[in-house]
Amino acid sequence: MKKGIHPDNYRPVVFKDMSNGDMFLTKSTCKTSETVEFEGETYPMVKIEISNTSHPFYTGKNKLVDTAGRVDRFMSRYGKLKK
């Protein structure tokens, strides 16, 4: 590998999913000032809103958000067209 082209701060970092509290360890160059105890050691921590443990695509738990009865209106108009 060439010297001097890779970041100096490439280190183990814990990413914490704030929606369900799940944490995982990987290497990253993310800047953070928070730390967390993970598997007996202290690591820098980055908070994330969603990960593969909470995303509907990976969990199979899709949520249908019905805003102002849009689904009901759709079904009343086009629900009868099913064969």
Side-chain angles (χ1 to χ4, degrees):
M1 291 188 339
K2 291 185 178 180
K3 300 226 183 258
I5 62 170
H6 299 286
D8 295 330
N9 62 346
Y10 190 64
R11 68 205 187 288
V13 176
V14 171
F15 286 86
K16 182 175 183 179
D17 186 342
M18 298 309 293
S19 63
N20 63 4
D22 189 39
M23 296 190 291
F24 60 94
L25 179 67
T26 186
K27 290 188 175 184
S28 177
T29 59
C30 292
K31 295 178 182 176
T32 182
S33 59
E34 298 182 53
T35 60
V36 68
E37 186 80 20
F38 184 73
E39 296 180 352
E41 295 195 31
T42 303
Y43 295 103
M45 179 183 67
V46 176
K47 294 179 181 178
I48 55 176
E49 294 298 320
I50 195 162
S51 70
N52 64 330
T53 59
S54 63
H55 193 280
F57 179 79
Y58 295 106
T59 60
K61 298 177 182 175
N62 290 333
K63 292 183 180 178
L64 182 61
V65 179
D66 187 13
T67 306
R70 291 181 185 171
V71 174
D72 292 331
R73 280 195 312 244
F74 177 83
M75 292 306 289
S76 67
R77 289 181 190 164
Y78 303 107
K80 299 172 187 172
L81 297 177
K82 287 185 179 180
K83 292 183 180 181

